[in-house]
Amino acid sequence: MRPDGLKCMDQRIPMTKMKTLRETVLEEITPKDFLEERSYNLSQETNLDYKFSSHPLRNFLNMAYIINITIGTPPQEFSVIIDTSSSDLWVSFIYCQAPSCSKYLRYNPKTSSSFQSDEGKHIKLTYGSGSITGVLATDTVRIGGLIAKSQTFVLSMNKLSGALEQAPYDGIMGLAYPSLAILGTTPIFDNLNKNGIISEPVFAFFISSWPHKSSLLMLGGVDHAYHKGALKWVPVTEAGLWQITVDRISMNRKVIACSGGCQAILDIGSSYLFGPTDIVRSILRSINPSPLQNEQRLISCHRTIALPPVIFTINGMDYPLTRKYYIQKVSEDICFITFNGGTENLSPPETWVLGDIFLRAYFTVFDRGNNRIGLAPSV
């Protein structure tokens, strides 16, 4: 999210930068910009029928999660980053001239019999790591066996600059609410739901903590084998946002943030935990009174063994994050605390972003039909 507030219609969320390892852990990572349909009942025993599908996600350095889709007839395959804080789909255009475009797949409308032009309408999408410009087009998009006909998307004439320019992806697929989409277009999730391609207006993420187990995007239903216990439902507090209320954030039975309640946004496109800079600095000093290299987020790994969990209390339930999640290894001896500042200019002032660190610990269901989020410990 932009630190200066909510984004305009055609602006999109900043993506975490990926430079050298040292640059990655030392730079100020900017949190992303964030921002109903038919109501239905999602039971704990959702049937896994033909309209439910589960899709593997490729983990890129714990910074981005990538899925394969196809566009056109016959299908042209692309790898796109999943983003829950934007709603548009874009892929690189065959006429993209950026040097990075030559490395990856580009959509060629001349080879697709189902391609439809959108009169060359020019679009600009802005992310934290740069912007793309392109034109609107319409074609058939497939996610596994799910087919979204007449799906409008953007053909990018360039690639995002910065760290993402080097990432192995051909575009971005947004799964946020329609209010974030380009005016007059329908996001792919809404296209699938409106046309009955998926059974329920719900998607879910299992973000794996284990090398041998793939991360998954579930569309149209929930596979309950990927979480422990019942899902606990939390209402979305801001229409159009995957935003919820947090009661408090505590450690060692002491409230360290959000003492009077605060807002938080769950976002797969953010790698870490983001909050107001002053509060984060205070938390870092508490966790790490003797920082390495004068960087408060760098800590000797041996000192992390005794660190207690950070507990997010949400809707009356405690959701602890143990050091396994909020501490990451940089080397054998150096570890990194995954709290970052930058949200202080949002409204309300104390807003948190719970990124992939939180989503690895908790299986998360995004329920568009009932405007709520479901949480349960991941297996």
Side-chain angles (χ1 to χ4, degrees):
M1 179 175 276
R2 282 186 331 192
D4 57 342
L6 294 176
K7 63 184 182 54
C8 300
M9 177 63 68
D10 279 337
Q11 290 174 317
R12 293 299 178 267
I13 312 269
M15 305 294 286
T16 305
K17 296 181 179 180
M18 291 165 282
K19 299 181 180 179
T20 66
L21 184 59
R22 178 176 173 79
E23 288 173 324
T24 297
V25 298
L26 293 182
E27 73 178 325
E28 280 295 328
I29 305 171
T30 305
K32 295 176 35 162
D33 260 2
F34 318 95
L35 245 192
E36 289 153 54
E37 309 201 344
R38 297 183 295 274
S39 181
Y40 73 100
N41 291 319
L42 179 66
S43 73
Q44 287 298 128
E45 294 79 29
T46 302
N47 292 323
L48 303 186
D49 62 14
Y50 73 100
K51 291 185 178 181
F52 167 87
S53 61
S54 188
H55 308 270
L57 300 175
R58 188 164 75 256
N59 180 351
F60 178 70
L61 301 178
N62 286 339
M63 296 288 185
Y65 289 86
I66 298 170
I67 190 172
N68 289 337
I69 65 171
T70 67
I71 303 177
T73 308
Q76 303 174 43
E77 188 171 34
F78 301 93
S79 295
V80 294
I81 291 174
I82 295 288
D83 184 20
T84 54
S85 292
S86 66
S87 297
D88 301 306
L89 168 65
W90 66 265
V91 296
S92 297
F93 199 10
I94 192 172
Y95 299 113
C96 175
Q97 299 300 313
S100 58
C101 284
S102 62
K103 302 176 185 177
Y104 305 117
L105 300 174
R106 292 175 285 177
Y107 172 82
N108 185 353
K110 294 180 180 179
T111 65
S112 175
S113 61
S114 48
F115 164 75
Q116 302 171 51
S117 174
D118 201 353
E119 300 178 354
K121 184 178 180 181
H122 289 267
I123 295 296
K124 181 177 181 179
L125 303 178
T126 302
Y127 297 80
S129 55
S131 62
I132 66 148
T133 56
V135 295
L136 283 182
T138 299
D139 208 333
T140 298
V141 179
R142 295 172 178 83
I143 308 172
L146 304 178
I147 302 174
K149 295 182 178 180
S150 300
Q151 177 63 49
T152 300
F153 60 103
V154 177
L155 295 173
S156 173
M157 299 295 292
N158 56 10
K159 287 287 288 281
L160 290 178
S161 59
L164 275 183
E165 191 171 6
Q166 307 305 319
Y169 77 109
D170 309 307
I172 292 177
M173 183 172 75
L175 291 175
Y177 283 78
S179 57
L180 279 179
I182 297 165
L183 189 64
T185 66
T186 300
I188 188 167
F189 179 80
D190 295 85
N191 190 343
L192 294 170
N193 182 50
K194 179 177 65 175
N195 291 294
I197 308 302
I198 55 177
S199 300
E200 299 168 327
V202 60
F203 62 91
F205 288 106
F206 169 72
I207 303 301
S208 177
S209 298
W210 313 103
H212 63 279
K213 187 176 285 189
S214 177
S215 296
L216 298 172
L217 165 65
M218 302 171 190
L219 290 167
V222 176
D223 186 344
H224 297 288
Y226 286 89
H227 66 81
K228 294 176 282 190
L231 289 166
K232 303 299 182 183
W233 295 102
V234 184
V236 171
T237 56
E238 180 103 10
L241 297 170
W242 292 119
Q243 180 173 313
I244 61 175
T245 296
V246 174
D247 303 331
R248 59 189 172 274
I249 303 172
S250 56
M251 180 182 280
N252 272 337
R253 299 183 180 180
K254 177 183 178 183
V255 176
I256 59 172
C258 193
S259 57
C262 59
Q263 295 294 293
I265 297 163
L266 281 82
D267 179 29
I268 194 174
S270 292
S271 299
Y272 302 135
L273 302 167
F274 296 95
T277 300
D278 287 347
I279 296 175
V280 168
R281 285 174 179 162
S282 176
I283 292 172
L284 291 173
R285 286 193 294 268
S286 174
I287 294 174
N288 188 21
S290 303
L292 300 175
Q293 303 175 26
N294 294 319
E295 167 52 49
Q296 199 72 54
R297 286 173 293 182
L298 294 184
I299 184 172
S300 296
C301 292
H302 76 272
R303 291 185 49 238
T304 68
I305 296 172
L307 287 177
V310 177
I311 299 173
F312 293 82
T313 303
I314 302 170
N315 208 25
M317 297 289 299
D318 287 346
Y319 295 88
L321 281 185
T322 65
R323 64 183 181 88
K324 166 186 171 181
Y325 295 102
Y326 72 85
I327 298 292
Q328 292 189 350
K329 266 198 168 186
V330 176
S331 67
E332 192 62 32
D333 301 317
I334 299 176
C335 284
F336 174 57
I337 306 169
T338 57
F339 280 88
N340 298 270
T343 69
E344 55 271 11
N345 292 325
L346 301 180
S347 181
E350 187 171 357
T351 297
W352 287 79
V353 181
L354 308 184
D356 298 336
I357 300 301
F358 190 86
L359 297 182
R360 286 189 192 97
Y362 294 98
F363 180 89
T364 307
V365 181
F366 295 79
D367 181 349
R368 283 280 304 281
N370 291 312
N371 213 28
R372 61 184 183 172
I373 286 174
L375 297 170
S378 291
V379 294

